[in-house]
């Protein structure tokens, strides 16, 4: 497990990174990549959308171009404070402070669940993916953006020490273990010199089941209820 897959380390890391996050984020994940990822989703009419690991709201901003009912969750209050400055706490977006592996929402609550730049910090990514599936409506979509595993052996050692990096084969394993049956992976990159992102678009099984027993035991909260601050 990488050092930033410990949640307390990740919170401390983002306490300081939040001050410059929006300026440096574009080198790895820019508006063009976000627009491409959004084009792979089917929003339909009046969708309810959740952004897990919303951070300063970069992904949230893109989701607002397609939906009016948008909710954002993050564990870092310092990152979220930047998002509050952009959208307000309860104006354009409902924000919640919480854990991706224990989402405070009822089953089948959202048409689309989006998570960009968050899975790499989850100690138990399969459990997190199960949670995304649980809160998404059957037949809905889940989109997850994470860092693609580097090919260079030196960079691989660095990546392994920091946080979760994964390739398409590992993504297959994680999504299958989390109960997804239909998904596809896309590789995205800001520039030829930038780190690569692996973006997975998954369809939530329409099988009448919300998830396994551990997922069913998650808190049953309305998505419009106030989050902890």
């Amino acid at each position: 497990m990488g050092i930033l897959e410990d949640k307390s380390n990740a919170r401390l890391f983002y306490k300081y990174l939040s001050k410059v996050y929006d300026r440096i984020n574009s080198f790895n994940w820019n508006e063009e990549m976000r627009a491409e990822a959004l084009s792979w989703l089917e929003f339909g009419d009046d969708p309810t959308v959740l952004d897990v690991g919303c951070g300063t709201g970069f992904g949230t901003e893109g989701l607002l171009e397609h939906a009016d009912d948008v909710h954002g969750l993050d564990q870092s209050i310092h990152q979220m404070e930047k998002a509050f400055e952009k959208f307000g706490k309860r104006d354009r977006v409902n924000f919640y402070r919480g854990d991706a592996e224990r989402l405070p929402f009822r089953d089948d609550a959202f048409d689309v669940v989006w998570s960009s730049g968050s899975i790499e910090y989850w100690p138990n990514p399969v459990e997190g993916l199960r949670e995304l599936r649980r809160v998404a409506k059957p037949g809905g979509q889940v989109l997850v953006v994470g860092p693609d595993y580097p090919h260079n052996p030196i960079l691989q050692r660095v990546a392994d020490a920091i946080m979760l990096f994964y390739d398409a084969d590992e993504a297959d394993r994680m999504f299958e273990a989390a109960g997804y049956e239909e998904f596809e992976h896309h590789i995205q990159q800001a520039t030829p010199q930038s780190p690569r992102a692996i973006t997975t678009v998954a369809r939530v099984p329409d099988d009448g089941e919300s998830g396994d027993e551990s997922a069913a035991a998650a808190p049953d909260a309305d998505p419009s209820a106030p989050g902890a601050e």
Side-chain angles (χ1 to χ4, degrees), residues 48 50 103 105-114 129-143 180 202-206 209-211:
T48 300
L50 174 63
L103 294 174
F105 308 110
R106 65 174 183 261
D107 297 355
D108 308 338
F110 300 96
D111 297 288
V112 172
V113 178
W114 166 290
L129 292 174
R130 286 196 187 105
E131 278 291 271
L132 303 192
R133 174 182 162 227
R134 179 184 66 78
V135 302
K137 295 178 181 178
Q141 289 177 291
V142 169
L143 182 145
Y180 297 88
R203 182 76 61 183
V204 177
D206 191 1
E209 297 181 2
S210 300

Side-chain angles (χ1 to χ4, degrees), residues 175-195:
F175 276 82
E176 288 171 359
Y180 297 88
E181 299 170 1
E182 179 185 345
F183 50 84
E184 59 184 16
H185 312 303
H186 306 266
I187 297 299
Q188 296 184 278
Q189 193 171 22
T191 70
Q193 291 74 40
S194 301

Side-chain angles (χ1 to χ4, degrees), residues 44-224:
D45 297 328
D46 300 319
T48 300
V49 177
L50 174 63
D51 185 359
V52 176
C54 62
T56 65
F58 182 74
T60 314
E61 184 177 19
L63 292 167
L64 284 167
E65 298 173 2
H66 299 268
D68 294 324
D69 190 1
V70 177
H71 304 257
L73 175 141
D74 202 277
Q75 71 158 344
S76 169
I77 190 61
H78 300 93
Q79 288 281 84
M80 293 174 70
E81 284 172 349
K82 299 296 183 181
F84 298 159
E85 293 172 7
K86 299 174 185 177
F87 310 113
K89 288 187 180 182
R90 296 289 184 271
D91 296 338
R92 300 181 65 197
V93 180
N94 284 322
F95 286 104
Y96 314 81
R97 188 177 183 190
D99 188 332
E101 295 170 5
R102 295 187 298 274
L103 294 174
F105 308 110
R106 65 174 183 261
D107 297 355
D108 308 338
F110 300 96
D111 297 288
V112 172
V113 178
W114 166 290
S115 183
S116 53
S118 181
I119 189 174
E120 56 265 38
Y121 302 106
W122 302 351
N124 300 294
V126 171
E127 186 60 33
L129 292 174
R130 286 196 187 105
E131 278 291 271
L132 303 192
R133 174 182 162 227
R134 179 184 66 78
V135 302
K137 295 178 181 178
Q141 289 177 291
V142 169
L143 182 145
V144 176
V145 184
D148 187 46
Y149 198 63
H151 299 297
N152 184 294
I154 295 176
L155 293 179
Q156 288 176 354
R157 288 196 291 271
V158 174
D160 291 340
I162 298 174
M163 57 189 181
L164 175 67
F165 286 72
Y166 57 94
D167 59 13
D169 289 340
E170 179 63 9
D172 284 346
R173 186 197 68 77
M174 292 191 298
F175 276 82
E176 288 171 359
Y180 297 88
E181 299 170 1
E182 179 185 345
F183 50 84
E184 59 184 16
H185 312 303
H186 306 266
I187 297 299
Q188 296 184 278
Q189 193 171 22
T191 70
Q193 291 74 40
S194 301
R196 292 163 28 126
I198 179 167
T199 300
T200 301
V201 183
R203 182 76 61 183
V204 177
D206 191 1
D207 56 8
E209 297 181 2
S210 300
D212 64 12
E213 293 179 359
S214 62
D220 182 19
D222 188 285
S224 62

